[in-house]
Amino acid sequence: MEPHPRDGFRARALSVLALMACFVTMAPGSAHGMDIDESMPSDMNGNKTTTAIEENGRCRPESVVATATTATWRYPDFDECKLAYCTGTLCGAAPAKWFCQMKGFKKAKAFKKSSEKGGAGKCGVTKSIGTDAICRGGKSCMGFKEIVCQDPVIGCPVEKSTRVPGGISFENPEFDGRKVDFCAGPGEGCGKEAADLFCIYGSYLGALRWVRFDDITVGRDLSCRSTIKLGALAMCIGKCDGFRTIVCESPPQA
């Protein structure tokens, strides 16, 4: 099959603008990134810490408590925004599952919707996993209060494909024997651009949605310690992000 790479990285500007929007609208003093708090309860009923966060009227910071088989994220972030409760018409279970897969787990054991209206509390901005859609303020911008992820992925995850409405879903996608990097080139064309290239190389129209796999090469088998950037056909070795899932759109039937 002859590859058809697209000209430039049109997704780069959109990604930068979305990220800037999240930085600007976050409340002062809000926490970006992950705070490990060993004192927080690991079950679904521990409310002491979250109550304190709610009472001070600021953007709730993300926190995580991990055990050998699970990890619990409270007020989870996604690319410096709060993780949106919905991706399109898929709400709750699907975004929670994709978030867990992005973090290197097989599934979401449980989740709770944030009861705060208007953008997951005082943060004001949510971002949808799988489409990178931004929601600013308003009662429709709901986030998660808690996601419990279960069963960490051990070793190098195997590629497999499944037919879904409108196309094909590729789990742990590969190209030329290597995991597909989340970026098409060094520091650019991340997310949609790289996913589109993967689909186009496979004779599909483009990517309908995608889920990142953070640090796919870290702590993996030898066959999984590098990724390939499809725009530059260059390798990333060491600490590299890949894709957990890419859903490619099938061409129309002749």
Side-chain angles (χ1 to χ4, degrees):
M1 183 188 64
E2 195 69 22
H4 304 286
R6 296 186 176 184
D7 296 330
F9 295 105
R10 55 183 168 73
R12 180 178 10 170
L14 295 175
S15 299
V16 171
L17 288 174
L19 187 59
M20 288 176 63
C22 294
F23 274 119
V24 170
T25 51
M26 283 290 186
S30 61
H32 303 300
M34 187 181 300
D35 298 325
I36 307 296
D37 186 352
E38 299 295 341
S39 65
M40 287 180 62
S42 58
D43 65 327
M44 298 287 286
N45 299 317
N47 297 316
K48 182 176 181 180
T49 300
T50 53
T51 299
I53 293 171
E54 290 170 1
E55 287 177 353
N56 65 28
R58 294 185 290 111
C59 180
R60 292 98 162 104
E62 180 187 69
S63 61
V64 62
V65 176
T67 69
T69 58
T70 66
T72 301
W73 274 267
R74 295 176 184 274
Y75 301 104
D77 293 339
F78 179 51
D79 289 347
E80 301 297 336
C81 300
K82 287 301 176 187
L83 175 65
Y85 191 74
C86 296
T87 295
T89 59
L90 300 174
C91 299
K97 174 186 174 182
W98 298 336
F99 175 82
C100 290
Q101 290 178 339
M102 180 183 74
K103 296 297 185 181
F105 290 81
K106 293 180 181 179
K107 60 184 178 180
K109 178 181 179 181
F111 60 89
K112 289 182 179 180
K113 183 179 181 180
S114 174
S115 60
E116 184 74 25
K117 303 291 185 181
K122 303 298 181 180
C123 310
V125 180
T126 59
K127 187 173 184 178
S128 296
I129 192 169
T131 63
D132 290 349
I134 296 290
C135 182
R136 294 183 178 86
K139 294 183 178 181
S140 62
C141 299
M142 300 302 298
F144 285 89
K145 180 178 182 180
E146 189 169 79
I147 297 178
V148 181
C149 299
Q150 187 176 25
D151 298 336
V153 176
I154 306 299
C156 189
V158 178
E159 181 188 46
K160 63 179 181 179
S161 60
T162 308
R163 286 194 176 276
V164 296
I168 302 289
S169 176
F170 294 88
E171 289 188 32
N172 311 304
E174 297 181 355
F175 181 83
D176 198 22
R178 299 185 185 278
K179 299 301 181 189
V180 177
D181 196 274
F182 190 69
C183 296
E188 58 185 358
C190 301
K192 180 170 175 55
E193 184 74 16
D196 277 344
L197 284 175
F198 172 80
C199 293
I200 291 168
Y201 285 167
S203 297
Y204 296 96
L205 297 180
L208 294 172
R209 61 178 181 270
W210 60 94
V211 176
R212 189 174 69 223
F213 197 140
D214 291 349
D215 301 335
I216 192 172
T217 55
V218 177
R220 306 292 175 189
D221 299 337
L222 184 62
S223 60
C224 205
R225 291 183 184 171
S226 64
T227 58
I228 184 167
K229 298 179 181 294
L230 295 183
L233 294 181
M235 286 195 306
C236 171
I237 300 174
K239 195 175 188 298
C240 314
D241 294 337
F243 286 95
R244 176 66 173 181
T245 306
I246 297 177
V247 179
C248 296
E249 182 179 5
S250 296
Q253 296 291 331

